[in-house]
């Protein structure tokens, strides 16, 4: 079964708006939560990652919020640009053991100019 | 520093054939993982290699196998191809196990 649930499946946002993607997990042993961005015909590229000892991490226009008690984490894309149009995947792993990434189903983001 | 490279980029095979895909990790990276990406199942973990040893395996049949060489390069093999094996096969490398994984562009396999 899918260990990481991601929503929404797709979203459309206007240029300059905020895109929000949510993920939930069940396995409390997960201790590493990366987000990947994938453009058509390319492999996933690491965007930003967080570990459960912090509740928020920001890199440029991208912010991860992490809620350990709710077992949820989310990606916020501020001031969305047309170049942000891509598919975004959340993932989780036990970085201290096992190491394999369990991915969410992906969210296709379209930014309208 | 060059990224992860995968060859070939595209491959067309027929049912029953076998295929070998190759992955060259980022220089200095010793861990290589393989993932299958399909529209229906998304990204699924196949296996992970470190120091020429398979360290972890996903829920795929034995037709899927792999290996890693002393220079950290890796190959995966799929025997007796089925239509459902059509997918994008992605290789990811990391410096050591548990470190950030960096993905290659993938090999697009089409089985006819």
């Amino acid at each position: 079964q899918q260990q990481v649930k991601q929503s929404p499946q797709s979203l459309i946002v206007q240029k300059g708006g905020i895109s929000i993607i949510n993920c939930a997990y069940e396995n409390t042993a997960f201790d590493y939560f990366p987000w990947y961005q994938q453009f058509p015909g390319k492999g996933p590229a690491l965007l930003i990652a967080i570990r459960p000892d912090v509740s928020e991490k920001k890199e440029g226009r991208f912010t991860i919020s992490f809620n350990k008690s709710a077992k949820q984490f989310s990606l916020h894309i501020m001031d969305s640009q047309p170049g942000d149009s891509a598919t975004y995947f959340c993932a989780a792993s036990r970085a201290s053991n096992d190491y394999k990434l369990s991915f969410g189903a992906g969210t296709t983001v379209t930014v309208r100019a | 520093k060059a990224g992860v490279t995968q060859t070939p980029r595209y491959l067309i095979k027929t049912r029953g054939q076998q295929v070998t895909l190759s992955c060259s990790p980022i220089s200095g990276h010793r861990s290589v993982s393989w993932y299958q990406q399909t529209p229906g199942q998304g990204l699924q973990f196949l296996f992970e290699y470190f120091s020429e040893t398979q360290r972890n395996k996903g829920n795929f049949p034995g037709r899927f196998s792999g290996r890693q060489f002393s220079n950290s390069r890796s190959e995966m093999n799929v025997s007796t191809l089925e239509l459902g094996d059509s997918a994008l096969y992605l290789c990811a490398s990391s410096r050591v196990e548990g470190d950030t994984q960096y993905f290659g562009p993938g090999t697009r396999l089409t089985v006819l």
Side-chain angles (χ1 to χ4, degrees):
Chain A
Q1 79 271 21
Q2 198 163 35
Q3 295 201 58
V4 180
K5 290 184 168 51
Q6 183 173 346
S7 63
Q9 187 175 5
S10 63
L11 67 89
I12 300 172
V13 63
Q14 292 295 121
K15 180 181 175 183
I18 302 173
S19 303
I20 302 174
I21 305 170
N22 300 300
C23 287
Y25 64 97
E26 286 299 322
N27 189 344
T28 55
F30 285 148
D31 57 6
Y32 177 65
F33 303 88
W35 285 87
Y36 284 85
Q37 178 190 55
Q38 186 176 30
F39 293 102
K42 305 285 188 183
L46 179 70
L47 201 56
I48 187 173
I50 198 168
R51 297 190 188 274
D53 52 344
V54 297
S55 59
E56 186 173 282
K57 184 175 180 180
K58 184 176 180 179
E59 287 185 4
R61 297 183 293 106
F62 300 91
T63 300
I64 300 179
S65 298
F66 186 82
N67 186 329
K68 188 174 181 178
S69 60
K71 293 185 287 186
Q72 295 176 347
F73 57 112
S74 61
L75 176 70
H76 291 61
I77 307 174
M78 314 299 285
D79 187 26
S80 296
Q81 300 296 312
D84 297 332
S85 297
T87 301
Y88 294 82
F89 294 92
C90 62
S93 72
R94 296 187 293 172
S96 54
N97 188 20
D98 199 343
Y99 313 121
K100 67 179 181 183
L101 289 168
S102 295
F103 283 90
T107 297
T108 300
V109 173
T110 303
V111 182
R112 294 264 164 85
Chain B
K1 193 183 263 191
V4 177
T5 58
Q6 293 186 243
T7 55
R9 291 294 313 278
Y10 302 91
L11 211 46
I12 299 175
K13 292 286 187 179
T14 56
R15 279 184 301 173
Q17 287 186 310
Q18 75 165 26
V19 66
T20 299
L21 313 181
S22 180
C23 170
S24 293
I26 293 170
S27 177
H29 285 199
R30 296 170 58 199
S31 175
V32 173
S33 298
W34 289 88
Y35 294 82
Q36 182 196 63
Q37 185 175 25
T38 60
Q41 299 299 316
L43 280 149
Q44 292 187 290
F45 172 78
L46 279 156
F47 24 65
E48 185 243 336
Y49 288 88
F50 181 76
S51 293
E52 302 177 64
T53 302
Q54 186 180 89
R55 306 276 285 179
N56 204 349
K57 191 176 191 307
N59 293 329
F60 280 83
R63 299 185 297 106
F64 291 81
S65 63
R67 59 179 175 167
Q68 186 181 34
F69 302 95
S70 58
N71 62 358
S72 295
R73 193 177 67 83
S74 177
E75 288 181 347
M76 69 162 280
N77 184 278
V78 188
S79 62
T80 319
L81 284 165
E82 300 177 358
L83 295 178
D85 297 334
S86 294
L88 181 67
Y89 289 89
L90 292 158
C91 167
S93 76
S94 59
R95 192 172 49 87
V96 294
E97 288 180 305
D99 204 3
T100 299
Q101 293 185 37
Y102 296 91
F103 284 81
T107 294
R108 172 74 62 185
L109 172 65
T110 302
V111 182
L112 302 176

